[in-house]
Amino acid sequence: MNENSVSNLIQNKFLYLPKLIFFFLLYFLITKETVLSFLILISIALITIIFLKSIKDKSQIGIPLAIFSLFLILPLSLNIKNLPTGYQYIVISIIGSILFLRLDNSSEKNFNFIPGFINLLLSALAPTTYLSGPSATVKEFPSNQDPFQILPTFKSITKNSLFLAISGFFKISVGYSLLSQSSLIDSINHLFRFNFYLIFPLFLYGFFYFWKYYLLFSGASDLCKALLSTININVIDNFKNPELSIFFHDIWVRWHLNISDRVRQYLYTPITLFALRNSYRFNKLNKFIFIEGLPVITLFLILGIWHGGRPKDFLVGFLNTLFVLISRALSKNKFLKSLLKSSNVFLELFRLVNLIIFGTILSIYDLPFSIVNDGYQNYMMDFFLALLLLSTINLYYRLKNNIYSFEKVNNLFGSKKIYFVVFEISCSLILQLFFINDVSMGSDFLYFAN
């Protein structure tokens, strides 16, 4: 190897180093982490690269990868205080990178130690991905990417990235100013006191928590994706309109794809194929439990550990497993399927019930609740106001999705999209100026990363 070749090799290895330094500085500026967090992140990246270099045979990676992934995830359930902010999203990035490098047929199988180490840290610390996801992987950092683009440019800021940012800003604004209000939560908690009217607050209860988590989480994810797209990092969609889901299990196909889609692609599907190959001796019921149940249990067990391994995390996982299996069984019922096709009213009610069940399960994350002692009259007034608000939000997003779908089918190229953009940016500015506590919002913005 001549002197110029050696010089070029060294230059290529460290080409992305300025971007990595910038990502590190931005991470510590946002999270205000300590030097210990820096050392932890460096150590995890080094251990990961050593692990990747030690296993080159695709057929031998299964058990070692499972053990290594458990090693990375387990600290989340051990209540270790010194974990870096956003560790759960950084872990998704690292595991996703390992899966891509070692299992994806389109990935490069040979990579050098230093570039691999730098790319792994680049993807793990891609700006804002550690706050809410979606996490980036080495897949989003191809070798032809501009190593010096660390800030958006006029050319990189596209119409789609602006629209997505406005949509995310609107969701967060609505979530903070309207849904995340203590008065609404207190009103909903009266369901523990008025048993006769249980069905009404229960309806509002699940509906409230579905939209609360969806708007805040999806809004933060949209902002993250929009920002990354301006520096040529294209990550997956974290949510795909879960409010359009008909069956309960359909919601999980559209919800939190940052982790659920990767688990489904690299773990859920292989387990399902394994179950199919080994269930021919079982009767119909046992075959359903084995084929449908084993992958679902595995998925929600991982999600339970990833969320922190607390009793309520596993309770959420158990209830989701139960309702997903029931939903899958119902989706195979011919009578129900024909009824859903023949009656739009029944279809909407069925969809609504599943969203309410999903939201009610999500509410477990907010346990324990506080119960206020306001009068029944105030409770009913707040209840109907909250119901009107949530119904309006639901109708708005249904209308928006229907118009977008119509334009896409008829190749109208978003002729009505601009009206939604103007409406959302106007509402967001009004809400931000008059209804949102900036101090509270700023202190709560790391909510998803903790």
Side-chain angles (χ1 to χ4, degrees):
M1 185 180 292
N2 59 39
E3 190 174 324
N4 288 333
S5 299
V6 173
S7 177
N8 290 333
L9 181 62
I10 294 173
Q11 184 180 5
N12 290 334
K13 282 184 176 182
F14 293 97
L15 206 57
Y16 287 91
L17 199 55
K19 181 179 280 192
L20 178 60
I21 293 172
F22 175 75
F23 282 7
F24 257 114
L25 290 174
L26 192 61
Y27 172 77
F28 288 105
L29 181 65
I30 293 173
T31 63
K32 297 180 174 61
E33 284 289 347
T34 62
V35 177
L36 179 61
S37 298
F38 171 79
L39 296 175
I40 291 173
L41 293 173
I42 294 292
S43 300
I44 291 172
L46 283 172
I47 294 170
T48 302
I49 293 298
I50 293 170
F51 170 76
L52 280 169
K53 296 292 285 185
S54 65
I55 300 178
K56 297 182 180 180
D57 188 350
K58 181 178 176 179
S59 62
Q60 297 178 355
I61 197 174
I63 294 176
L65 176 58
I67 295 172
F68 188 74
S69 300
L70 187 62
F71 163 76
L72 292 175
I73 295 174
L74 204 55
L76 293 169
S77 60
L78 297 178
N79 296 321
I80 298 176
K81 295 181 179 179
N82 294 322
L83 287 178
T85 300
Y87 178 76
Q88 62 267 54
Y89 296 107
I90 292 172
V91 163
I92 293 176
S93 170
I94 292 172
I95 295 176
S97 295
I98 295 172
L99 292 170
F100 173 72
L101 289 169
R102 283 291 173 256
L103 297 181
D104 198 292
N105 293 327
S106 63
S107 64
E108 298 177 6
K109 300 305 175 184
N110 299 316
F111 64 98
N112 294 319
F113 191 93
I114 294 176
F117 173 74
I118 292 175
N119 283 337
L120 195 69
L121 280 174
L122 275 174
S123 57
L125 295 176
T128 71
T129 56
Y130 35 78
L131 298 180
S132 63
S135 302
T137 66
V138 293
K139 183 180 181 180
E140 282 78 52
F141 286 84
S143 57
N144 60 349
Q145 190 182 71
D146 183 1
F148 300 107
Q149 186 181 5
I150 59 177
L151 293 173
T153 63
F154 285 110
K155 184 181 289 188
S156 66
I157 300 175
T158 63
K159 183 171 66 174
N160 287 335
S161 65
L162 281 174
F163 285 179
L164 185 61
I166 291 170
S167 174
F169 184 49
F170 174 72
K171 287 177 181 177
I172 287 181
S173 298
V174 173
Y176 265 99
S177 62
L178 299 178
L179 295 182
S180 300
Q181 297 293 324
S182 58
S183 60
L184 295 183
I185 298 173
D186 291 339
S187 297
I188 293 170
N189 285 333
H190 277 78
L191 70 91
F192 296 110
R193 298 171 54 201
F194 298 105
N195 295 326
F196 180 74
Y197 296 95
L198 179 63
I199 186 63
F200 299 109
L202 187 60
F203 171 84
L204 180 64
Y205 185 75
F207 212 34
F208 170 84
Y209 275 100
F210 171 81
W211 283 106
K212 172 190 172 181
Y213 278 100
Y214 174 53
L215 288 175
L216 292 177
F217 201 173
S218 176
S221 297
D222 286 351
L223 284 173
C224 173
K225 182 177 173 66
L227 171 65
L228 292 178
S229 68
T230 63
I231 54 175
N232 199 27
I233 302 174
N234 298 306
V235 293
I236 63 171
D237 293 316
N238 208 3
F239 293 84
K240 290 186 176 179
N241 306 119
E243 71 275 13
L244 300 180
S245 304
I246 297 174
F247 288 93
F248 185 90
H249 68 274
D250 291 335
I251 301 176
W252 275 107
V253 178
R254 301 166 176 263
W255 185 276
H256 202 350
L257 302 181
N258 187 33
I259 183 170
S260 62
D261 193 52
R262 290 184 172 107
V263 171
R264 187 180 299 108
Q265 181 181 356
Y266 293 108
L267 187 62
Y268 188 103
T269 301
I271 291 176
T272 302
L273 293 174
F274 168 79
L276 281 169
R277 287 194 296 266
N278 293 275
S279 62
Y280 61 92
R281 294 186 302 270
F282 297 160
N283 59 40
K284 191 173 182 179
L285 177 61
N286 289 335
K287 185 179 290 187
F288 174 82
I289 294 173
F290 190 56
I291 295 174
E292 302 283 359
L294 186 60
V296 172
I297 290 170
T298 305
L299 169 64
F300 288 111
L301 180 62
I302 292 172
L303 283 172
I305 297 173
W306 181 80
H307 274 99
R310 300 161 298 180
K312 60 183 176 183
D313 297 320
F314 291 118
L315 176 60
V316 169
F318 169 77
L319 291 173
N320 273 304
T321 300
L322 179 64
F323 280 100
V324 164
L325 293 177
I326 293 173
S327 176
R328 285 189 175 278
L330 289 174
S331 67
K332 301 177 188 299
N333 186 282
K334 293 182 180 179
F335 174 75
L336 178 61
K337 288 167 70 175
S338 64
L339 191 60
L340 290 170
K341 288 182 179 179
S342 61
S343 173
N344 288 332
V345 174
F346 182 75
L347 174 66
E348 292 303 322
L349 287 174
F350 190 80
R351 175 186 280 126
L352 197 59
V353 167
N354 282 303
L355 293 183
I356 291 168
I357 294 171
F358 188 83
T360 304
I361 294 174
L362 287 180
S363 72
I364 295 173
Y365 286 124
D366 277 7
L367 287 172
F369 302 116
S370 61
I371 300 178
V372 298
N373 295 310
D374 292 338
Y376 175 71
Q377 185 176 357
N378 291 335
Y379 155 69
M380 290 304 293
M381 185 182 298
D382 288 341
F383 168 77
F384 285 116
L385 285 174
L387 183 60
L388 177 63
L389 167 66
L390 293 167
S391 299
T392 302
I393 293 170
N394 185 66
L395 288 172
Y396 171 77
Y397 277 100
R398 290 301 308 280
L399 174 65
K400 181 179 178 180
N401 289 321
N402 287 340
I403 291 177
Y404 279 18
S405 298
F406 176 79
E407 290 187 341
K408 186 176 182 180
V409 170
N410 294 278
N411 296 319
L412 298 178
F413 304 106
S415 59
K416 299 290 191 301
K417 185 179 289 188
I418 189 64
Y419 296 115
F420 288 101
V421 171
V422 172
F423 172 78
E424 290 182 358
I425 192 64
S426 302
C427 288
S428 300
L429 291 173
I430 292 171
L431 292 172
Q432 291 286 339
L433 288 172
F434 299 106
F435 296 99
I436 289 181
N437 184 334
D438 292 333
V439 175
S440 173
M441 185 173 180
S443 63
D444 290 342
F445 200 71
L446 295 181
Y447 167 76
F448 296 110
N450 293 319

